[in-house]
Amino acid sequence: MQALSASITGRAIREEKIAVEAVDIRDFTEDKHRHVDDYTYGGGAGMLMQAQPVFAAYESVAARLEKKPRVVYLTPQGVPFTQDLARDFSECGELVLICGHYEGIDERVLEEIVTDRVSIGDYVLTGGELAAMVVVDAVSRLVPGVLHNDESAQDESFAGGLLEYPQYTRPESWHGKEVPEILLSGNHKKIEEWRLKQAEERTRKFRPDLYEKYEANNQ
Ligand code: ADE
């Protein structure tokens, strides 16, 4: 949460373009020792979060919202988080993000409340919090008014299915490397063509998976 108070997300919170609230599932346990986890049926290593406190925490949040929210469970078993999904979430108004801990959450409560299972990549984090912050960050910058005019979200990586072209600022020469001459030419049509070609080359080299999709869409 602290991380969100810095930089662009921090400014967006202060300007009330977005609001982020953390709810501690532990506050909703009926267990006298405040436990929220237990052993898994069927055996196996690790503990599982119980359905009751997760459900109670969700209900307390949902009761304050006007309509049924999208409820996103962060898990390595989810669909990959992409720019398209970030855009989709940014148009939802309200989002509830559920962060698992331990080995996960009792499947029964997930079945009842979760609308989307989302993974931020093929690796396992110790909990869903960092993944939730990634989602909050990527979604926030697509909310109207969050980025100011000079921070446009239009002409960037993944817009159009390509990685972004390389960019340069002053000075013209640095460590013996020159800014590509075309960028100094003032010929906007030529610059646009050059940038598209660079974006295509980069995508083909670094993300052949994306390039294949791009090619299929541009046949
Ligand atoms: N929780 C643990 N690992 C995760 C991942 N890769 N994505 C989303 N949530 C997670």
Side-chain angles (χ1 to χ4, degrees), residues 117-138:
R117 298 181 191 221
V118 172
S119 166
I120 64 157
D122 289 339
Y123 39 79
V124 181
L125 303 168
T126 55
E129 287 81 359
L130 270 177
M133 304 262 269
V134 167
V135 171
V136 170
D137 190 285

PDB file of all heavy atoms in Angstrom, residues 117-138:
ATOM      1  N   ARG A 117      -9.893 -14.736 -12.189  1.00  0.00           N
ATOM      2  CA  ARG A 117      -8.646 -15.221 -11.573  1.00  0.00           C
ATOM      3  C   ARG A 117      -7.511 -14.746 -12.452  1.00  0.00           C
ATOM      4  O   ARG A 117      -7.483 -15.042 -13.649  1.00  0.00           O
ATOM      5  CB  ARG A 117      -8.643 -16.740 -11.471  1.00  0.00           C
ATOM      6  CG  ARG A 117      -9.779 -17.243 -10.585  1.00  0.00           C
ATOM      7  CD  ARG A 117      -9.759 -18.741 -10.455  1.00  0.00           C
ATOM      8  NE  ARG A 117     -10.989 -19.190  -9.820  1.00  0.00           N
ATOM      9  CZ  ARG A 117     -11.070 -20.137  -8.916  1.00  0.00           C
ATOM     10  NH1 ARG A 117      -9.983 -20.789  -8.544  1.00  0.00           N
ATOM     11  NH2 ARG A 117     -12.219 -20.471  -8.391  1.00  0.00           N
ATOM     12  N   VAL A 118      -6.585 -14.003 -11.857  1.00  0.00           N
ATOM     13  CA  VAL A 118      -5.560 -13.313 -12.648  1.00  0.00           C
ATOM     14  C   VAL A 118      -4.161 -13.596 -12.110  1.00  0.00           C
ATOM     15  O   VAL A 118      -3.927 -13.519 -10.905  1.00  0.00           O
ATOM     16  CB  VAL A 118      -5.838 -11.788 -12.646  1.00  0.00           C
ATOM     17  CG1 VAL A 118      -4.695 -11.028 -13.295  1.00  0.00           C
ATOM     18  CG2 VAL A 118      -7.149 -11.486 -13.358  1.00  0.00           C
ATOM     19  N   SER A 119      -3.243 -13.898 -13.032  1.00  0.00           N
ATOM     20  CA  SER A 119      -1.830 -14.100 -12.688  1.00  0.00           C
ATOM     21  C   SER A 119      -0.992 -12.989 -13.301  1.00  0.00           C
ATOM     22  O   SER A 119      -1.241 -12.581 -14.431  1.00  0.00           O
ATOM     23  CB  SER A 119      -1.360 -15.444 -13.239  1.00  0.00           C
ATOM     24  OG  SER A 119       0.057 -15.513 -13.212  1.00  0.00           O
ATOM     25  N   ILE A 120      -0.001 -12.496 -12.568  1.00  0.00           N
ATOM     26  CA  ILE A 120       0.865 -11.468 -13.169  1.00  0.00           C
ATOM     27  C   ILE A 120       2.098 -12.082 -13.820  1.00  0.00           C
ATOM     28  O   ILE A 120       2.967 -11.351 -14.310  1.00  0.00           O
ATOM     29  CB  ILE A 120       1.266 -10.368 -12.169  1.00  0.00           C
ATOM     30  CG1 ILE A 120       2.108 -10.914 -11.018  1.00  0.00           C
ATOM     31  CG2 ILE A 120       0.046  -9.637 -11.651  1.00  0.00           C
ATOM     32  CD1 ILE A 120       2.963  -9.838 -10.362  1.00  0.00           C
ATOM     33  N   GLY A 121       2.216 -13.403 -13.844  1.00  0.00           N
ATOM     34  CA  GLY A 121       3.348 -14.022 -14.533  1.00  0.00           C
ATOM     35  C   GLY A 121       3.584 -15.428 -14.022  1.00  0.00           C
ATOM     36  O   GLY A 121       3.079 -15.808 -12.972  1.00  0.00           O
ATOM     37  N   ASP A 122       4.370 -16.181 -14.779  1.00  0.00           N
ATOM     38  CA  ASP A 122       4.593 -17.589 -14.436  1.00  0.00           C
ATOM     39  C   ASP A 122       5.711 -17.754 -13.422  1.00  0.00           C
ATOM     40  O   ASP A 122       6.795 -18.259 -13.744  1.00  0.00           O
ATOM     41  CB  ASP A 122       4.881 -18.395 -15.704  1.00  0.00           C
ATOM     42  CG  ASP A 122       3.630 -18.536 -16.556  1.00  0.00           C
ATOM     43  OD1 ASP A 122       2.512 -18.374 -16.010  1.00  0.00           O
ATOM     44  OD2 ASP A 122       3.756 -18.798 -17.761  1.00  0.00           O
ATOM     45  N   TYR A 123       5.443 -17.293 -12.214  1.00  0.00           N
ATOM     46  CA  TYR A 123       6.343 -17.471 -11.073  1.00  0.00           C
ATOM     47  C   TYR A 123       5.470 -17.372  -9.836  1.00  0.00           C
ATOM     48  O   TYR A 123       4.334 -16.885  -9.906  1.00  0.00           O
ATOM     49  CB  TYR A 123       7.435 -16.389 -11.042  1.00  0.00           C
ATOM     50  CG  TYR A 123       6.915 -15.038 -11.430  1.00  0.00           C
ATOM     51  CD1 TYR A 123       6.201 -14.265 -10.511  1.00  0.00           C
ATOM     52  CD2 TYR A 123       7.073 -14.560 -12.722  1.00  0.00           C
ATOM     53  CE1 TYR A 123       5.690 -13.035 -10.872  1.00  0.00           C
ATOM     54  CE2 TYR A 123       6.559 -13.329 -13.093  1.00  0.00           C
ATOM     55  CZ  TYR A 123       5.878 -12.570 -12.171  1.00  0.00           C
ATOM     56  OH  TYR A 123       5.354 -11.367 -12.538  1.00  0.00           O
ATOM     57  N   VAL A 124       5.979 -17.860  -8.699  1.00  0.00           N
ATOM     58  CA  VAL A 124       5.151 -17.899  -7.491  1.00  0.00           C
ATOM     59  C   VAL A 124       5.664 -16.891  -6.475  1.00  0.00           C
ATOM     60  O   VAL A 124       6.822 -16.948  -6.054  1.00  0.00           O
ATOM     61  CB  VAL A 124       5.135 -19.320  -6.891  1.00  0.00           C
ATOM     62  CG1 VAL A 124       4.248 -19.352  -5.646  1.00  0.00           C
ATOM     63  CG2 VAL A 124       4.648 -20.326  -7.927  1.00  0.00           C
ATOM     64  N   LEU A 125       4.802 -15.955  -6.090  1.00  0.00           N
ATOM     65  CA  LEU A 125       5.120 -14.969  -5.052  1.00  0.00           C
ATOM     66  C   LEU A 125       4.693 -15.535  -3.701  1.00  0.00           C
ATOM     67  O   LEU A 125       3.946 -16.510  -3.636  1.00  0.00           O
ATOM     68  CB  LEU A 125       4.362 -13.676  -5.330  1.00  0.00           C
ATOM     69  CG  LEU A 125       4.616 -13.036  -6.703  1.00  0.00           C
ATOM     70  CD1 LEU A 125       3.591 -11.948  -6.974  1.00  0.00           C
ATOM     71  CD2 LEU A 125       6.029 -12.484  -6.761  1.00  0.00           C
ATOM     72  N   THR A 126       5.149 -14.901  -2.618  1.00  0.00           N
ATOM     73  CA  THR A 126       4.767 -15.407  -1.290  1.00  0.00           C
ATOM     74  C   THR A 126       3.321 -15.059  -0.943  1.00  0.00           C
ATOM     75  O   THR A 126       2.723 -15.674  -0.078  1.00  0.00           O
ATOM     76  CB  THR A 126       5.687 -14.840  -0.196  1.00  0.00           C
ATOM     77  OG1 THR A 126       5.659 -13.406  -0.279  1.00  0.00           O
ATOM     78  CG2 THR A 126       7.116 -15.333  -0.366  1.00  0.00           C
ATOM     79  N   GLY A 127       2.777 -14.072  -1.624  1.00  0.00           N
ATOM     80  CA  GLY A 127       1.379 -13.703  -1.396  1.00  0.00           C
ATOM     81  C   GLY A 127       0.887 -12.878  -2.554  1.00  0.00           C
ATOM     82  O   GLY A 127       1.670 -12.487  -3.423  1.00  0.00           O
ATOM     83  N   GLY A 128      -0.406 -12.591  -2.561  1.00  0.00           N
ATOM     84  CA  GLY A 128      -0.982 -11.862  -3.694  1.00  0.00           C
ATOM     85  C   GLY A 128      -0.806 -10.350  -3.639  1.00  0.00           C
ATOM     86  O   GLY A 128      -1.166  -9.656  -4.586  1.00  0.00           O
ATOM     87  N   GLU A 129      -0.258  -9.825  -2.528  1.00  0.00           N
ATOM     88  CA  GLU A 129      -0.221  -8.356  -2.362  1.00  0.00           C
ATOM     89  C   GLU A 129       0.567  -7.642  -3.456  1.00  0.00           C
ATOM     90  O   GLU A 129       0.115  -6.637  -4.004  1.00  0.00           O
ATOM     91  CB  GLU A 129       0.360  -7.963  -0.994  1.00  0.00           C
ATOM     92  CG  GLU A 129      -0.563  -8.211   0.181  1.00  0.00           C
ATOM     93  CD  GLU A 129      -0.562  -9.644   0.663  1.00  0.00           C
ATOM     94  OE1 GLU A 129       0.165 -10.483   0.062  1.00  0.00           O
ATOM     95  OE2 GLU A 129      -1.273  -9.941   1.627  1.00  0.00           O
ATOM     96  N   LEU A 130       1.756  -8.153  -3.754  1.00  0.00           N
ATOM     97  CA  LEU A 130       2.556  -7.502  -4.798  1.00  0.00           C
ATOM     98  C   LEU A 130       1.844  -7.579  -6.139  1.00  0.00           C
ATOM     99  O   LEU A 130       1.861  -6.617  -6.918  1.00  0.00           O
ATOM    100  CB  LEU A 130       3.936  -8.160  -4.902  1.00  0.00           C
ATOM    101  CG  LEU A 130       5.035  -7.577  -4.034  1.00  0.00           C
ATOM    102  CD1 LEU A 130       6.306  -8.401  -4.208  1.00  0.00           C
ATOM    103  CD2 LEU A 130       5.309  -6.132  -4.412  1.00  0.00           C
ATOM    104  N   ALA A 131       1.217  -8.713  -6.398  1.00  0.00           N
ATOM    105  CA  ALA A 131       0.471  -8.875  -7.653  1.00  0.00           C
ATOM    106  C   ALA A 131      -0.671  -7.859  -7.698  1.00  0.00           C
ATOM    107  O   ALA A 131      -0.917  -7.235  -8.738  1.00  0.00           O
ATOM    108  CB  ALA A 131      -0.058 -10.295  -7.765  1.00  0.00           C
ATOM    109  N   ALA A 132      -1.350  -7.662  -6.568  1.00  0.00           N
ATOM    110  CA  ALA A 132      -2.456  -6.695  -6.517  1.00  0.00           C
ATOM    111  C   ALA A 132      -1.948  -5.285  -6.789  1.00  0.00           C
ATOM    112  O   ALA A 132      -2.596  -4.505  -7.493  1.00  0.00           O
ATOM    113  CB  ALA A 132      -3.153  -6.759  -5.161  1.00  0.00           C
ATOM    114  N   MET A 133      -0.768  -4.970  -6.278  1.00  0.00           N
ATOM    115  CA  MET A 133      -0.196  -3.630  -6.499  1.00  0.00           C
ATOM    116  C   MET A 133       0.130  -3.426  -7.973  1.00  0.00           C
ATOM    117  O   MET A 133      -0.033  -2.326  -8.503  1.00  0.00           O
ATOM    118  CB  MET A 133       1.077  -3.467  -5.682  1.00  0.00           C
ATOM    119  CG  MET A 133       0.838  -3.708  -4.230  1.00  0.00           C
ATOM    120  SD  MET A 133       0.633  -2.189  -3.406  1.00  0.00           S
ATOM    121  CE  MET A 133       2.297  -1.948  -3.005  1.00  0.00           C
ATOM    122  N   VAL A 134       0.602  -4.484  -8.614  1.00  0.00           N
ATOM    123  CA  VAL A 134       0.887  -4.409 -10.048  1.00  0.00           C
ATOM    124  C   VAL A 134      -0.406  -4.091 -10.804  1.00  0.00           C
ATOM    125  O   VAL A 134      -0.450  -3.214 -11.673  1.00  0.00           O
ATOM    126  CB  VAL A 134       1.519  -5.731 -10.548  1.00  0.00           C
ATOM    127  CG1 VAL A 134       1.528  -5.818 -12.063  1.00  0.00           C
ATOM    128  CG2 VAL A 134       2.934  -5.890  -9.990  1.00  0.00           C
ATOM    129  N   VAL A 135      -1.469  -4.794 -10.434  1.00  0.00           N
ATOM    130  CA  VAL A 135      -2.763  -4.572 -11.096  1.00  0.00           C
ATOM    131  C   VAL A 135      -3.248  -3.145 -10.829  1.00  0.00           C
ATOM    132  O   VAL A 135      -3.659  -2.430 -11.756  1.00  0.00           O
ATOM    133  CB  VAL A 135      -3.804  -5.619 -10.629  1.00  0.00           C
ATOM    134  CG1 VAL A 135      -5.198  -5.268 -11.134  1.00  0.00           C
ATOM    135  CG2 VAL A 135      -3.394  -7.017 -11.096  1.00  0.00           C
ATOM    136  N   VAL A 136      -3.179  -2.703  -9.570  1.00  0.00           N
ATOM    137  CA  VAL A 136      -3.641  -1.344  -9.229  1.00  0.00           C
ATOM    138  C   VAL A 136      -2.860  -0.306 -10.034  1.00  0.00           C
ATOM    139  O   VAL A 136      -3.436   0.637 -10.581  1.00  0.00           O
ATOM    140  CB  VAL A 136      -3.495  -1.071  -7.708  1.00  0.00           C
ATOM    141  CG1 VAL A 136      -3.728   0.407  -7.397  1.00  0.00           C
ATOM    142  CG2 VAL A 136      -4.469  -1.936  -6.915  1.00  0.00           C
ATOM    143  N   ASP A 137      -1.570  -0.490 -10.134  1.00  0.00           N
ATOM    144  CA  ASP A 137      -0.737   0.486 -10.850  1.00  0.00           C
ATOM    145  C   ASP A 137      -1.105   0.537 -12.331  1.00  0.00           C
ATOM    146  O   ASP A 137      -1.348   1.608 -12.895  1.00  0.00           O
ATOM    147  CB  ASP A 137       0.743   0.132 -10.665  1.00  0.00           C
ATOM    148  CG  ASP A 137       1.647   1.235 -11.167  1.00  0.00           C
ATOM    149  OD1 ASP A 137       1.796   1.374 -12.402  1.00  0.00           O
ATOM    150  OD2 ASP A 137       2.200   1.985 -10.341  1.00  0.00           O
ATOM    151  N   ALA A 138      -1.150  -0.630 -12.962  1.00  0.00           N
ATOM    152  CA  ALA A 138      -1.420  -0.676 -14.411  1.00  0.00           C
ATOM    153  C   ALA A 138      -2.830  -0.190 -14.743  1.00  0.00           C
ATOM    154  O   ALA A 138      -3.044   0.450 -15.776  1.00  0.00           O
ATOM    155  CB  ALA A 138      -1.216  -2.101 -14.934  1.00  0.00           C
TER     156      ALA A 138
END
